[in-house]
Amino acid sequence: MDRILRGIMKYRCCKKEQMVKQFVKVRDNPMPKAVFFTCIDSRMIPTRFTQTNVGDMFVVRNAGNVIPHSQHFLDELTTNEPAAMELGCVVNDIRHIVVCGHSDCKAINLLYQLQDSEFASQDNRRISPLRAWLCTHALNSLEKFQQLAATDYSKPLIFQAETPMRKFVAYIDPENKFTLEDKLSQINTLQQLQNIASYGFLKKRLETHQLHIHALWFDIYTGEIYCFSRGAKRFVVVDEDNFDKLLDEVEKYYS
């Protein structure tokens, strides 16, 4: 708490006046461009690595950057994630949802361990909200990972895109650069796109290209940001060599 209070004093001294001006500027006409889902990990600072500012994005964070599939709700959609999508995409007409996973994700490392039936037992879930959260809402990612493992991590996976009739192919870490847990993290990030498309209140927007879904992945220890390319069928590093190609793809697939 000492660090937080000192940070507030530094903000008052160095940042407050500038930020208030930005708040005033967007007060009457905010135009956020994306709803950005990411993990609560303290190393993930999305406004910094996307260089976005006040009023640019709605940022939603939870353990493992998970958006629960709508099938988990029998009647009412009662969690934060669908509420955030409604507020962003329906109320504020935001046209892009971004899901950003990352390397060395502690929630995903735990999800990997949940392959052990004793570790994932009901008794253990009762004493661990994190295990219960992942067992309830992220097992579809683990199942996809096990499909990949059965092919010696070499065959592509197929994910649903904006509608049940639209699908995309994904090769996960074809260069074998990352750990098994990081491969699972990339799969989990892509699985959330399928989960987003399960919500009926977004159906028409997705079908008519008024709403677009994207996946990013942050490699914490190199600082590189990867964007999933449907054309390349893999996560591609966002750098000087790939930027123009990724931008062209965004205009092709998402315009």
Side-chain angles (χ1 to χ4, degrees):
M1 195 62 195
D2 175 73
R3 175 71 178 270
I4 291 173
L5 290 173
R6 292 183 186 279
I8 292 171
M9 292 307 296
K10 185 176 181 181
Y11 153 77
R12 287 179 59 83
C13 173
C14 305
K15 300 289 186 180
K16 178 184 172 184
E17 183 177 352
Q18 177 186 354
M19 287 190 70
V20 168
K21 290 178 181 177
Q22 293 173 338
F23 291 141
V24 170
K25 185 177 179 180
V26 302
R27 177 179 59 192
D28 297 325
N29 189 32
M31 298 182 65
K33 302 301 183 186
V35 178
F36 195 101
F37 285 94
T38 193
C39 187
I40 60 172
D41 193 300
S42 61
R43 299 166 295 179
M44 293 293 284
I45 312 177
T47 54
R48 188 171 297 178
F49 62 71
T50 62
Q51 291 293 287
T52 47
N53 215 322
V54 169
D56 287 342
M57 299 193 302
F58 284 20
V59 179
V60 188
R61 303 176 70 140
N62 65 32
N65 45 269
V66 172
I67 296 98
H69 194 284
S70 66
Q71 70 183 7
H72 293 294
F73 306 101
L74 296 178
D75 184 21
E76 298 175 321
L77 305 176
T78 53
T79 66
N80 173 52
E81 296 77 22
M85 290 190 291
E86 182 188 8
L87 181 60
C89 302
V90 179
V91 177
N92 284 275
D93 197 30
I94 293 173
R95 302 298 181 94
H96 297 271
I97 299 176
V98 180
V99 182
C100 183
H102 66 97
S103 64
D104 190 30
C105 178
K106 305 311 180 187
I108 298 302
N109 293 350
L110 183 67
L111 178 62
Y112 182 84
Q113 294 178 59
L114 289 171
Q115 294 178 95
D116 180 272
S117 58
E118 174 60 26
F119 192 77
S121 69
Q122 190 172 53
D123 286 343
N124 279 325
R125 296 200 304 272
R126 283 172 176 157
I127 62 172
S128 170
L130 181 56
R131 287 188 214 188
W133 163 254
L134 294 171
C135 281
T136 302
H137 297 301
L139 285 186
N140 49 8
S141 297
L142 193 56
E143 289 167 2
K144 273 280 202 317
F145 173 80
Q146 290 167 340
Q147 289 177 30
L148 182 69
T151 71
D152 197 27
Y153 307 99
S154 61
K155 300 295 184 182
L157 296 173
I158 298 175
F159 293 86
Q160 180 189 314
E162 290 79 5
T163 74
M165 298 301 293
R166 294 182 204 158
K167 301 184 186 299
F168 62 88
V169 172
Y171 287 87
I172 304 299
D173 187 23
E175 297 172 350
N176 200 28
K177 294 166 52 178
F178 300 111
T179 65
L180 296 179
E181 292 86 349
D182 285 350
K183 295 181 202 296
L184 174 56
S185 175
Q186 292 190 352
I187 291 170
N188 179 68
T189 303
L190 295 175
Q191 179 62 41
Q192 305 320 305
L193 306 188
Q194 185 166 314
N195 292 355
I196 289 167
S198 73
Y199 287 92
F201 69 90
L202 298 177
K203 184 174 183 287
K204 183 177 180 181
R205 292 169 184 266
L206 289 166
E207 287 177 343
T208 58
H209 305 283
Q210 297 176 67
L211 178 63
H212 310 288
I213 48 181
H214 314 266
L216 298 177
W217 196 77
F218 183 46
D219 185 4
I220 283 177
Y221 298 116
T222 66
E224 296 288 8
I225 314 293
Y226 292 77
C227 179
F228 185 77
S229 163
R230 297 193 193 183
K233 303 177 183 177
R234 56 180 288 182
F235 280 98
V236 174
V237 67
V238 182
D239 63 9
E240 293 74 13
D241 292 333
N242 293 320
F243 175 77
D244 288 336
K245 287 179 282 189
L246 289 168
L247 206 58
D248 287 344
E249 181 174 316
V250 167
E251 292 175 355
K252 174 184 176 182
Y253 283 98
Y254 306 110
S255 59

